[in-house]
Amino acid sequence: MAAAVPGRSTGGLCPACTRLDRAHSVAADTFTDDPRPYRVYLAWFGPGTVKAGITGEHRGSARLLEQGAVAFCWLGRGPLMAARRTEEVLRRALGVPDRVPYERKRLLRPGLPDAGARAAELGELHARALAVGGWSETLEALPFVPYDHGDAFGLAGLPPLDGTVTGLVDGGVVTGRLIAAAGPDLHLSDPAGRHLVLDGRLLGGWGLERGGDDAWSVPIGAVPGEGSGGSEQEGLF
């Protein structure tokens, strides 16, 4: 049965298939007997914005790159359900969320502190996590080693954000120079000098052609105010 995919879809799936896809993910606790080891991590997106999460050890740092973590560190490793319980315990103890809206991440990327400051904030939280009792009895605690993606993403010197693409349209034109790429977000400088973000997940299902000199013609949303909630990340693993 055919179904229309909304122009603002970030997964290339209709709403019904999106729900089905999520129901068969590790995040939905439908594969609790997975024998592979998992890791609990802290991901840093900007000053005061850190989340706790878990990822399969076999994936390495891929999950952190996918969600646009500017810096991160590992907290522990062990079986899936032990990792899930530890994530929840440490999230509550440290006062950090398990998700950070993409709108928030985009606002934080311009003007980030240097890698040393990023590592220092993570190191303080890592030390506090180790001081939380009980979790290391079922999970192997890992020493603090900071990892940084600032150079890989090209975030140095980003100007303030002027807007984001809210959806794609038939015949729509996106033109500009790529100045940074973090997770799915493509940071572009358009011909008018605006700093705009195109969420790469919007491209699923669309045919792409080389553009000419046509003016930018996809809808642009205003930059949300500080503290705006926005859409959540899709999928944890």
Side-chain angles (χ1 to χ4, degrees):
M1 181 177 68
V5 177
R8 297 187 179 188
S9 170
T10 56
L13 300 173
C14 70
C17 288
T18 297
R19 290 191 295 270
L20 183 63
D21 186 60
R22 288 175 178 173
H24 288 82
S25 72
V26 177
D29 284 340
T30 54
F31 296 101
T32 57
D33 58 346
D34 189 338
R36 296 173 297 182
Y38 281 74
R39 290 198 174 203
V40 183
Y41 62 80
L42 289 174
W44 188 96
F45 299 96
T49 307
V50 179
K51 63 158 280 188
I54 70 173
T55 187
E57 188 170 73
H58 62 284
R59 299 203 66 208
S61 62
R63 178 59 189 150
L64 286 305
L65 289 164
E66 289 169 356
Q67 61 187 295
V70 180
F72 78 95
C73 68
W74 302 116
L75 289 174
R77 65 181 299 274
L80 171 59
M81 295 313 293
R84 291 295 297 273
R85 288 191 296 270
T86 298
E87 174 201 13
E88 180 65 15
V89 168
L90 295 181
R91 186 177 67 82
R92 292 180 179 275
L94 300 177
V96 298
D98 61 352
R99 298 190 179 192
V100 176
Y102 274 108
E103 286 84 351
R104 175 69 178 164
K105 298 176 188 179
R106 294 163 188 155
L107 285 173
L108 289 169
R109 289 175 190 146
L112 290 172
D114 62 27
R118 304 195 281 256
E121 186 172 346
L122 278 174
E124 179 183 348
L125 285 171
H126 185 279
R128 287 173 53 194
L130 291 184
V132 177
W135 67 271
S136 59
E137 296 173 5
T138 56
L139 212 68
E140 175 190 354
L142 297 174
F144 176 64
V145 179
Y147 299 89
D148 199 277
H149 294 148
D151 289 341
F153 292 158
L155 300 179
L158 272 184
L161 185 63
D162 295 309
T164 62
V165 175
T166 58
L168 300 182
V169 296
D170 287 335
V173 174
V174 174
T175 181
R177 179 173 60 89
L178 181 67
I179 54 177
D185 288 339
L186 304 178
H187 290 258
L188 304 170
S189 176
D190 82 344
R194 296 179 301 173
H195 173 199
L196 303 173
V197 169
L198 170 63
D199 185 338
R201 299 173 301 167
L202 291 171
L203 298 174
W206 289 92
L208 301 178
E209 299 179 359
R210 181 182 294 275
D213 297 326
D214 295 337
W216 188 297
S217 60
V218 295
I220 302 298
V223 177
E226 190 71 17
S228 174
S231 60
E232 300 286 356
Q233 296 167 187
E234 293 186 3
L236 294 177
F237 308 99

